[in-house]
Amino acid sequence: MAEDGGAAVTAAEADEIERAAEAALRPRRLAEFVGQRVVRDQLSLVLEAAVARHRPPDHVLLAGPPGLGKTTLAMIVASEVGAALRLTSGPAITHAGDLAAILSALQENDVLFIDEIHRLARPAEEMLYLAMEDFRVDVVVGKGAGATAIPLSLPPFTVVGATTRAGLLPAPLRDRFGFTGHMDFYETGDLERVLHRSARLLGIELDAEAAHEIASRSRGTPRIANRLLRRVQDWAQVRGTGVADTAAAAAALEVFEVDPRGLDRLDRAVLRSLCTRFGGGPVGLTSIAMAIGEEPETVETVAEPFLLREGFLTRTPRGRVATAAAWAHLGLTAPEGGPSRLFD
Ligand SMILES: Nc1ncnc2c1ncn2[C@@H]1O[C@H](COP(=O)(O)OP(=O)(O)OP(=O)(O)O)[C@@H](O)[C@H]1O
């Protein structure tokens, strides 16, 4: 049976199982964090300097596509400086009052992780500037003309913000971060190291060729690599020899519809709609998202960065355009004078 057991599980339970499996594989210290050498070196300097000065580190912004390790790094920041971590997210803070409650409960040196910080509501954003710069929050008491702002000073703390869309952050907020780490997709070799580490933690025997096969189909993303490893583990235990070998990897990846270039259903749906419904583009992101029944943000943050990087898609001022590689990958013929003409 698969790791989520034979009994029916709800979608929420399945999510919970995935989250727990993910949490068990998180590196706890910077030295265990594989890849992202530039960000790791920069962060290591910032954290060591803060520890030497006995002061909380500067606020840190982590930018990059989902699943590259932003939450993991936020946890590492807290553990490296021996601080407690508080977690929240932009969408969870619907009123400035929610943020005021979180800020006023902070203890000295705490690390406050704000995921999807680009989705903070404007009044909360303004409150955050003040808190990050002056360690102060104005608590508004009363309503209308009688409302008064009572300043409340906060202990020194560190904000670690994560965003998939750094461009959406207003400049005043971006400027309050002393350090921005730009996270990029992982090289296959780094993902192989992530997989070997995860296999050890999961108690799976993983051979080198299988690790390479899984890594090269993981879209440069450790979260995906770990998820595929668990599916290969399922296949190996149920249908194979128990060892995550090349046969298990190839079979499991086929079952879960991950193609040899690492494209999954969403990626292929984006490319297919671009080619077959919109003649290869140019077409707007919203039209593509509507055609495949997805949110524009999902297409933009989950599928598009990988498709751009792999050269299946380009962005032009008039919209998204499928490249010759996209047509070829789908086994389709580009229209006469097709994509190449569009790049003139
Ligand atoms: N450098 C790494 N080394 C080993 N494992 C990693 C690394 N980066 C991420 N992971 C693993 O990938 C998974 C996803 O990481 P994480 O949740 O930190 O990503 P994220 O960037 O915060 O994603 P999102 O923004 O979607 O929440 C975790 O299980 C973590 O163990």
Side-chain angles (χ1 to χ4, degrees), residues 22-104:
E22 205 166 77
L25 298 177
R26 280 186 203 285
R28 311 267 165 213
R29 306 305 295 241
L30 209 47
E32 285 175 68
F33 192 84
V34 176
Q36 305 289 337
R37 195 185 51 77
V38 175
V39 174
R40 209 161 20 97
D41 288 352
Q42 294 167 333
L43 202 52
S44 143
L45 193 64
V46 171
L47 299 181
E48 273 179 54
V51 170
R53 287 186 207 121
H54 303 288
R55 287 187 46 81
D58 254 3
H59 305 298
V60 173
L61 180 65
L62 299 170
L68 299 190
K70 298 184 292 299
T71 307
T72 304
L73 274 183
M75 292 176 170
I76 287 176
V77 167
S79 67
E80 290 286 340
V81 299
L85 180 77
R86 318 275 163 211
L87 291 107
T88 186
S89 73
I93 297 170
T94 50
H95 304 288
D98 299 337
L99 183 62
I102 293 169
L103 292 171
S104 53

Side-chain angles (χ1 to χ4, degrees), residues 263 267-273 275-276 325-332:
L263 276 69
D267 304 315
R268 283 193 301 271
V270 168
L271 290 186
R272 193 168 289 284
S273 99
C275 293
T276 59
W327 289 92
H329 188 73
L330 296 176
L332 300 171

Side-chain angles (χ1 to χ4, degrees), residues 300 303-315 320:
E300 190 173 20
E304 198 171 76
F306 173 70
L307 295 174
L308 281 168
R309 188 179 91 133
E310 294 294 300
F312 289 120
L313 192 86
T314 57
R315 285 166 80 151
R320 275 64 177 173

Side-chain angles (χ1 to χ4, degrees), residues 86-320:
R86 318 275 163 211
L87 291 107
T88 186
S89 73
I93 297 170
T94 50
H95 304 288
D98 299 337
L99 183 62
I102 293 169
L103 292 171
S104 53
L106 288 176
Q107 307 285 311
E108 192 164 342
N109 297 337
D110 278 359
V111 172
L112 173 63
F113 176 58
I114 309 180
D115 202 4
E116 297 187 73
I117 195 167
H118 58 275
R119 293 178 65 185
L120 271 181
R122 182 47 61 91
E125 221 171 66
E126 283 165 10
M127 178 180 281
L128 189 62
Y129 305 157
L130 196 66
M132 289 169 76
E133 187 134 310
D134 297 340
F135 297 104
R136 182 163 70 83
V137 60
D138 287 335
V139 180
V140 179
V141 182
K143 279 200 168 144
T148 35
I150 302 176
L152 176 74
S153 55
L154 303 171
F157 65 97
T158 300
V159 172
V160 178
T163 180
T164 48
R165 303 176 79 188
L168 285 189
L169 278 194
L173 181 56
R174 236 182 3 232
D175 293 348
R176 259 77 175 180
F177 289 96
F179 161 66
T180 299
H182 294 279
M183 318 229 351
D184 209 344
F185 291 112
Y186 289 64
E187 300 299 329
T188 304
D190 287 337
L191 288 183
E192 287 174 34
R193 287 165 59 209
V194 169
L195 285 165
H196 283 299
R197 175 181 176 276
S198 301
R200 262 196 316 278
L201 292 172
L202 292 169
I204 315 170
E205 199 180 322
L206 171 68
D207 76 29
E209 245 179 88
H212 180 75
E213 192 59 38
I214 301 170
S216 53
R217 297 204 203 183
S218 297
R219 311 165 91 255
T221 307
R223 169 176 295 141
I224 297 177
N226 283 339
R227 195 189 297 149
L228 293 180
L229 176 65
R230 295 197 303 275
R231 300 294 78 81
V232 172
Q233 178 187 27
D234 293 344
W235 197 96
Q237 285 175 350
V238 178
R239 309 250 158 84
T241 58
V243 175
D245 53 17
T246 329
L253 292 168
E254 192 173 333
V255 172
F256 290 96
E257 300 178 288
V258 178
D259 75 23
R261 292 286 301 271
L263 276 69
D264 62 14
R265 283 175 76 94
L266 175 65
D267 304 315
R268 283 193 301 271
V270 168
L271 290 186
R272 193 168 289 284
S273 99
L274 188 50
C275 293
T276 59
R277 296 194 59 167
F278 302 105
V283 62
L285 174 76
T286 311
S287 305
I288 301 174
M290 280 175 69
I292 61 172
E294 282 291 345
E295 290 298 317
E297 187 168 346
T298 307
V299 174
E300 190 173 20
T301 60
V302 180
E304 198 171 76
F306 173 70
L307 295 174
L308 281 168
R309 188 179 91 133
E310 294 294 300
F312 289 120
L313 192 86
T314 57
R315 285 166 80 151
T316 71
R318 290 189 299 140
R320 275 64 177 173

